[in-house]
Amino acid sequence: MRSAVAFLSAFLLFATGCASLTQGQAGEPDYAAVADENLRLGSEALENKDFFRAQKYFEYVRTKFPYQEAAREAELKLADVDFEREALPEAKEQYQSFIKLHPTHAKVDYAAFRSALTHVQAYPSEFFALPPSHEKDQGEIRSALVAMEGFLRQYPQSQYVAEAKAHREDAQRRLALHELYAAQFYQKRERWKAVAQRLEGLLRRYPGTQYEEEALFDLHDAYVKLNDPQKAQDTLRQVLRRLPGTPAAERAQRMLGS
């Protein structure tokens, strides 16, 4: 009986504590009288990963000061809240909405870059206990590449150009590695036509990656296996054009016999 009473008391204490926590989270923050101060408080909450309070402050600014510039800043900040809490589809939707509603805003390039960045954040995991990311679905990586290329075309003077280029190159590298992985899958099964198709696609869509040399020589070997000496030689000539002055070009020159 005594143990049952103790258990009931502990349960009630726990429930009371949970209720207090819930009430505290659900309560409204102490809003400031001016918009900029609420933006500051919301930004501070966001920096501290207090997404609930950050969202509350930004929503307050957006609804209470709709005709001030601060409201536009609050719209972006609400998208940032979703981005930081990894609600990526919601964040992308909010960034895209900002672009449509305010196409001439000074921070429209920020919204476009962050929208593209939602795809990067959704890349397959590199967690060591899981299969490598290049063996998984590449949909988000392809979407990131398209989004970053679109951003670079539309906002060539943006302060985010360097970051966008880095993400574009990383996406190309990842996709090239995936194509090389697929080609090696077919190599092991001696399906040489499929090997050639994957490698041709890699070289056409993702030029200049670190996998180019390996892909070119593997493609040459595939055409040899397919008994297509003309395409095999053309592939070696591609090595000379793409990798001039390198040991790879010297090797290709020797293989061409001249």
Side-chain angles (χ1 to χ4, degrees):
M1 179 67 177
R2 184 174 299 172
S3 61
V5 171
F7 173 82
L8 181 60
S9 299
F11 175 81
L12 290 172
L13 284 170
F14 175 79
T16 302
C18 288
S20 299
L21 179 62
T22 302
Q23 290 170 2
Q25 289 180 336
E28 293 290 319
D30 292 326
Y31 298 113
V34 295
D36 286 346
E37 179 63 11
N38 287 298
L39 284 177
R40 186 191 69 79
L41 291 168
S43 297
E44 187 177 276
L46 179 57
E47 187 175 339
N48 292 328
K49 305 296 184 184
D50 187 347
F51 303 130
F52 174 82
R53 291 179 66 81
Q55 189 171 39
K56 284 287 187 179
Y57 279 117
F58 299 141
E59 285 179 343
Y60 183 82
V61 172
R62 186 175 64 175
T63 57
K64 295 296 183 181
F65 307 94
Y67 303 111
Q68 294 187 23
E69 174 58 26
R72 309 290 81 76
E73 184 71 20
E75 289 178 39
L76 278 178
K77 289 292 188 179
L78 283 166
D80 288 343
V81 170
D82 281 337
F83 186 94
E84 292 299 327
R85 68 184 183 91
E86 299 182 2
L88 299 174
E90 292 85 351
K92 181 183 177 183
E93 183 178 351
Q94 293 206 67
Y95 289 129
Q96 288 294 318
S97 176
F98 184 91
I99 293 167
K100 291 175 184 177
L101 291 172
H102 316 293
T104 61
H105 193 275
K107 290 189 176 181
V108 69
D109 63 325
Y110 173 82
F113 177 66
R114 295 281 284 191
S115 176
L117 205 58
T118 60
H119 296 293
V120 176
Q121 294 298 105
Y123 280 2
S125 174
E126 294 284 4
F127 185 60
F128 75 94
L130 299 174
S133 62
H134 63 263
E135 297 182 14
K136 302 173 186 174
D137 179 73
Q138 305 293 294
E140 288 292 349
I141 302 176
R142 292 190 188 94
S143 296
L145 178 58
V146 170
M148 290 299 171
E149 287 178 336
F151 172 83
L152 290 167
R153 284 193 302 271
Q154 193 160 2
Y155 305 100
Q157 305 303 318
S158 171
Q159 63 179 307
Y160 306 107
V161 161
E163 289 180 75
K165 286 181 177 179
H167 284 300
R168 179 186 63 184
E169 291 170 7
D170 180 57
Q172 289 174 329
R173 179 192 64 79
R174 289 169 178 266
L175 292 168
L177 178 58
H178 175 73
E179 291 302 308
L180 191 62
Y181 163 75
Q184 290 168 347
F185 173 87
Y186 291 122
Q187 278 177 331
K188 294 174 183 176
R189 290 153 181 80
E190 299 186 359
R191 295 175 58 183
W192 302 111
K193 186 175 181 180
V195 171
Q197 288 174 340
R198 299 308 289 249
L199 294 174
E200 288 280 15
L202 184 163
L203 293 164
R204 182 175 63 256
R205 292 192 294 271
Y206 316 119
T209 71
Q210 67 200 74
Y211 307 109
E212 193 158 77
E213 178 181 341
E214 183 177 358
L216 285 163
F217 284 109
D218 284 355
L219 181 59
H220 167 268
D221 293 346
Y223 282 131
V224 169
K225 295 289 187 181
L226 289 166
N227 197 28
D228 192 336
Q230 184 60 55
K231 286 188 176 179
Q233 288 195 342
D234 288 345
T235 302
L236 292 175
R237 293 188 183 96
Q238 277 199 68
V239 178
L240 301 180
R241 291 194 303 272
R242 288 172 176 257
L243 305 169
T246 65
E250 295 175 6
R251 177 186 171 192
Q253 196 72 61
R254 290 194 301 270
M255 292 170 73
L256 284 166
S258 60

